[in-house]
Amino acid sequence: MPTTFKKVAAILNPTAPHMVGDGFRVHNFFPSGYKIKMDPFYLLDYNAKLEFSPSNTPRGVGVHPHRGFETVTIAYHGAVAHHDSAGNSGVIYPGDVQWMTAASGILHKEYHEESYSKKGGPFQMVQLWVNLPAKYKMTAPKYQSVTNSEMANFELPNQKGKIEVIAGDYQGVKGSASTFTEIELYNLRLKAGAKANLETPAHFNTALLIIEGSITVNGTEKATTNQMVHFAHEGNAITIEASEDAVVLYLSGDPINEPIAQYGPFLMNKPEELQQAIEDYNTGKFGYLEE
């Protein structure tokens, strides 16, 4: 297959922020912020870097249900503690990833970790909702906790940075997380002047989110902190050059191409499945989790 640049469809600015609970001030890039095709990724909320003042009461989001998809939380600054109705709990620190497969249903809550909350400081996170194919929507919930220290890495030549492979495969380096569909999810941590080359099939839905710094894409398109680069379904290669030290989240995935029915924290295929999810939640089938 000949290599051609994957065409940039748009450079997207962050949308107006809104609060999720009292602990997450997010810009939604999709599906409500921009009507872009990113299947199997359904939602991307980005908590751009923000200083939180010290608080003795941790800010966050109280108990809420999920069914039919996965939440992927990527930490850049700050720390988040989480608990669920299956008895799982933990903390994600800068560089860590929490991959929660809600699937058949779970109750969940997430808050600023206690010691971080008491001292305050910069906070920056991404949360993705990754859709599940119909045949996997009612599988058992599970967690994958990927700490930064154990994350798979590809070192760039001449100490110009590294590519953290969260999921997928980058030049033989396999990502730490297992997925239900073909997904490439990387953090590119680039020194000024570093270049990185990416390849992905033309039909994959693909985007870059610039977490820090500024970059040039495919030699011509420039993007800077908090912008998203969305790609068209043309071409299969992407080059990134860091104009300054940069951190870039790369996401690319094979679309599931199934009907979507969504209501609040439920992501199913048919309206009647949403009704069943609501009924199951109201009758306690998602378990119990103390506020």
Side-chain angles (χ1 to χ4, degrees):
M1 180 190 297
T3 298
T4 57
F5 282 141
K6 199 165 179 68
K7 183 179 178 182
V8 173
I11 308 289
L12 305 174
N13 290 317
T15 56
H18 66 275
M19 294 300 296
V20 177
D22 63 357
F24 304 91
R25 179 180 178 268
V26 302
H27 307 271
N28 180 264
F29 275 95
F30 58 84
S32 59
Y34 294 96
K35 304 302 180 186
I36 58 176
K37 292 181 179 178
M38 282 302 297
D39 177 16
F41 308 101
Y42 179 77
L43 173 148
L44 190 153
D45 272 346
Y46 173 47
N47 192 128
K49 191 186 290 185
L50 179 70
E51 288 282 332
F52 275 100
S53 59
S55 173
N56 287 323
T57 303
R59 304 173 176 95
V61 182
V63 176
H64 56 281
H66 291 299
R67 172 179 279 182
F69 64 102
E70 303 179 284
T71 65
V72 180
T73 306
I74 307 167
Y76 297 96
H77 291 280
V80 172
H82 65 91
H83 298 80
D84 75 16
S85 53
N88 299 300
S89 64
V91 178
I92 55 171
Y93 295 100
D96 296 347
V97 175
Q98 176 213 86
W99 198 298
M100 182 181 79
T101 304
S104 62
I106 206 162
L107 300 179
H108 189 241
K109 62 180 179 180
E110 48 210 327
Y111 288 90
H112 294 186
E113 185 271 333
E114 188 174 6
S115 62
Y116 163 76
S117 185
K118 286 181 177 178
K119 68 177 184 289
F123 190 85
Q124 189 177 26
M125 302 265 165
V126 166
Q127 186 169 92
L128 289 163
W129 288 13
V130 180
N131 195 15
L132 287 170
K135 63 182 178 180
Y136 297 122
K137 282 189 179 292
M138 294 301 287
T139 55
K142 68 172 185 175
Y143 267 98
Q144 299 176 79
S145 178
V146 184
T147 63
N148 192 252
S149 61
E150 63 191 17
M151 196 173 291
N153 282 291
F154 179 90
E155 297 288 339
L156 294 174
N158 304 316
Q159 297 183 316
K160 280 292 191 176
K162 63 182 178 179
I163 296 175
E164 297 173 346
V165 187
I166 300 167
D169 184 316
Y170 183 81
Q171 296 192 19
V173 176
K174 297 191 182 300
S176 305
S178 65
T179 64
F180 288 85
T181 57
E182 196 172 344
I183 288 170
E184 305 292 331
L185 188 64
Y186 318 149
N187 272 321
L188 287 73
R189 298 185 184 270
L190 308 175
K191 301 291 187 184
K195 291 184 179 180
N197 299 310
L198 305 166
E199 289 190 18
T200 190
H203 73 279
F204 274 34
N205 290 317
T206 305
L208 303 169
L209 179 63
I210 294 78
I211 304 295
E212 288 181 20
S214 56
I215 61 171
T216 301
V217 181
N218 296 345
T220 57
E221 304 281 351
K222 297 186 183 302
T224 191
T225 305
N226 300 340
Q227 289 185 319
M228 176 176 282
V229 182
H230 184 234
F231 292 89
H233 294 148
E234 298 177 37
N236 56 4
I238 298 167
T239 65
I240 298 170
E241 182 172 1
S243 313
E244 56 186 319
D245 288 1
V247 178
V248 180
L249 177 65
Y250 167 75
L251 52 157
S252 187
D254 193 1
I256 298 170
N257 292 325
E258 291 179 348
I260 286 177
Q262 182 260 332
Y263 176 77
F266 305 129
L267 187 59
M268 306 303 290
N269 298 103
K270 303 172 184 177
E272 53 266 35
E273 293 169 340
L274 292 178
Q275 291 297 325
Q276 187 65 53
I278 294 167
E279 182 179 329
D280 289 348
Y281 169 63
N282 287 335
T283 55
K285 291 182 180 177
F286 283 56
Y288 174 77
L289 183 62
E290 186 177 350
E291 284 284 359

